[in-house]
């Protein structure tokens, strides 16, 4: 992708904010041209602030993917997700508010309430426009939103197919401050390979486990060693009850084997080397409602 030409080099941080399941992580991956942030059809897949870097001849953009701001959910994990999302606008030069057409919910309004306090450029991205069956309803829908809310630009996207990405990039670059690049040209993220490995395992848990079980799981990397073209990784999948452990393992270990195989292939593509992956399933009662456990598993900030 090429950013629109500018007279001077530009750099800035762009926060991607929105309620759960509007496609922020899919948008991040489309913007940087790599599968960095994990994606699933389930809301609240993203649990951390994920930085993704896109570098062009005339600009560099550091995108900040965030957990979806949500109402309800009284566990410590829910509070942590909202805390991370609320902190990110303070770091940003531009905010992108992502919504899913054709709905504006109470949670969308909560996001607007947060970003309206920041005197920086705000762009509205209306994602999933392919799901709008009556296209004639789209413009009145957007008109109602913008009547009482000020955005510096509005974009219509189908992030899964890259539709509208180039126009959004051009608009973002125009709103960035003039500044030199802050990251090396080949840098994709500030996250470690250990972190990315844990996320790729958790992605398979989100994709393969039904209903509420994925939200009772987290992943802890216990060993990560790379020698030559081989990475040896050992990881613990934590659940909250013994019954959940049996479901993650599956009959004769089939579910756990499939989770490991799919995650390993994803790691090999991302890391560019062979991966030997070992997985265990462990139980810690109600870890997602315990602040100490959350800190141990890397949920902090």
């Amino acid at each position: 992708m090429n950013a629109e030409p500018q007279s001077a080099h530009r750099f800035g941080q762009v926060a991607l904010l929105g309620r759960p399941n509007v496609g922020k992580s899919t948008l991040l991956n489309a913007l940087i041209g790599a599968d960095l942030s994990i994606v699933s059809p389930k809301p609240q897949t993203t649990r951390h602030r994920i930085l993704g870097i896109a570098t062009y001849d005339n600009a560099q953009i550091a995108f900040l993917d965030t957990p979806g701001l949500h109402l309800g959910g009284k566990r410590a994990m829910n509070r942590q997700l909202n805390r991370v999302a609320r902190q990110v606008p303070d770091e940003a030069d531009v905010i992108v508010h992502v919504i899913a057409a054709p709905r504006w919910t109470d949670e969308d309004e909560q996001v607007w309430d947060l970003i309206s306090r920041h005197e920086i450029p705000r762009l509205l991205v209306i994602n999933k426009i392919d799901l709008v069956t009556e296209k004639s309803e789209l413009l009145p829908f957007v008109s109602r939103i913008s009547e009482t809310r000020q955005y510096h630009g509005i974009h219509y996207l189908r992030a899964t197919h890259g539709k509208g990405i180039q126009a959004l990039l051009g608009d973002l670059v125009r709103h960035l401050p003039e500044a030199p690049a802050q990251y090396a040209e080949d840098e994709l993220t500030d996250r470690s390979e250990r972190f990315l490995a844990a996320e790729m395992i958790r992605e398979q848990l989100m994709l393969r486990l039904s209903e509420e079980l994925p939200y009772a799981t987290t992943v802890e990397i216990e060993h990560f060693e790379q020698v030559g073209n081989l990475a040896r990784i050992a990881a613990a999948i934590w659940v909250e009850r013994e019954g959940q452990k049996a479901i993650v393992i599956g009959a004769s270990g089939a579910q756990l084997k499939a989770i490991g195989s799919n995650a390993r292939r994803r790691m090999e593509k991302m890391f560019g080397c062979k991966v030997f992956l070992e997985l265990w399933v462990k139980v810690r009662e109600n870890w997602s409602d315990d602040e100490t456990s959350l800190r141990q598993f890397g949920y902090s900030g």
Side-chain angles (χ1 to χ4, degrees):
M1 285 184 274
N2 293 313
E4 192 169 296
Q6 299 289 328
S7 58
H9 190 279
R10 295 175 182 266
F11 170 83
Q13 298 200 129
V14 174
L16 307 179
L17 287 158
R19 62 177 169 85
N21 215 32
V22 293
K24 297 183 298 298
S25 295
T26 300
L27 175 58
L28 171 69
N29 292 342
L31 287 165
I32 67 173
D35 292 332
L36 173 65
S37 200
I38 67 171
V39 174
S40 87
K42 297 181 176 68
Q44 298 177 35
T45 297
T46 301
R47 290 179 176 173
H48 302 271
R49 166 194 174 282
I50 307 292
L51 183 142
I53 304 161
T55 300
Y56 312 99
D57 291 339
N58 62 324
Q60 187 178 73
I61 309 176
F63 292 100
L64 304 173
D65 188 16
T66 61
L69 263 176
H70 58 282
L71 301 170
K74 303 190 184 301
R75 298 177 73 80
M77 172 64 81
N78 298 110
R79 295 193 297 272
Q80 169 62 17
L81 298 185
N82 279 338
R83 190 157 55 238
V84 171
R86 289 182 179 280
Q87 289 173 346
V88 165
D90 293 331
E91 307 174 42
D93 299 290
V94 181
I95 294 173
V96 174
H97 181 189
V98 186
I99 68 171
R103 297 175 59 221
W104 180 275
T105 70
D106 290 342
E107 289 176 325
D108 294 317
E109 188 65 30
Q110 182 185 41
V111 177
W112 166 253
D113 181 63
L114 171 64
I115 68 175
S116 64
R117 306 170 194 171
H118 295 266
E119 295 299 323
I120 57 176
R122 300 181 295 263
L123 304 183
L124 177 66
V125 162
I126 301 159
N127 195 23
K128 304 185 181 183
I129 57 171
D130 52 307
L131 301 183
V132 181
T133 53
E134 296 293 333
K135 303 300 183 187
S136 60
E137 297 177 358
L138 198 52
L139 288 179
F141 166 69
V142 175
S143 179
R144 289 192 298 273
I145 292 172
S146 55
E147 276 177 5
T148 56
R149 304 169 188 89
Q150 183 183 3
Y151 293 97
H152 298 79
I154 298 174
H155 293 266
Y156 302 85
L157 263 67
R158 189 180 179 187
T160 53
H161 290 70
K163 182 178 176 61
I165 293 296
Q166 285 294 331
L168 174 59
L169 275 171
D171 204 6
L172 286 170
V173 170
R174 281 191 291 274
H175 285 95
L176 293 179
E178 294 184 4
Q182 300 296 306
Y183 299 93
E185 186 175 345
D186 60 348
E187 280 188 88
L188 184 66
T189 184
D190 61 348
R191 290 291 190 172
S192 68
E193 290 185 341
R194 289 179 71 102
F195 173 86
L196 296 176
E199 285 288 273
M200 284 182 261
I201 297 166
R202 196 168 61 80
E203 180 178 46
Q204 293 305 314
L205 296 170
M206 298 295 293
L207 291 170
R208 296 190 61 86
L209 301 178
S210 61
E211 301 307 324
E212 294 301 315
L213 186 54
Y215 303 103
T217 63
T218 195
V219 177
E220 183 181 28
I221 301 298
E222 298 185 330
H223 178 78
F224 191 114
E225 179 185 22
Q226 185 167 351
V227 179
N229 194 45
L230 175 66
R232 294 183 178 275
I233 303 170
I237 298 171
W238 289 92
V239 297
E240 296 190 312
R241 296 191 299 275
E242 282 293 337
Q244 295 168 344
K245 178 178 179 178
I247 295 172
V248 173
I249 293 173
S252 302
Q255 182 74 280
L256 187 62
K257 182 178 179 181
I259 290 167
S261 295
N262 292 342
R264 177 182 53 78
R265 285 193 291 270
R266 181 98 146 75
M267 291 176 198
E268 289 179 340
K269 182 179 179 182
M270 172 68 75
F271 301 154
C273 67
K274 294 291 184 182
V275 172
F276 177 73
L277 176 64
E278 293 181 284
L279 296 178
W280 291 269
V281 185
K282 300 181 179 181
V283 179
R284 179 173 295 181
E285 293 286 335
N286 294 318
W287 68 263
S288 67
D289 201 24
D290 178 69
E291 297 284 356
T292 300
S293 294
L294 289 176
R295 285 192 294 271
Q296 178 190 327
F297 296 145
Y299 299 100
S300 61

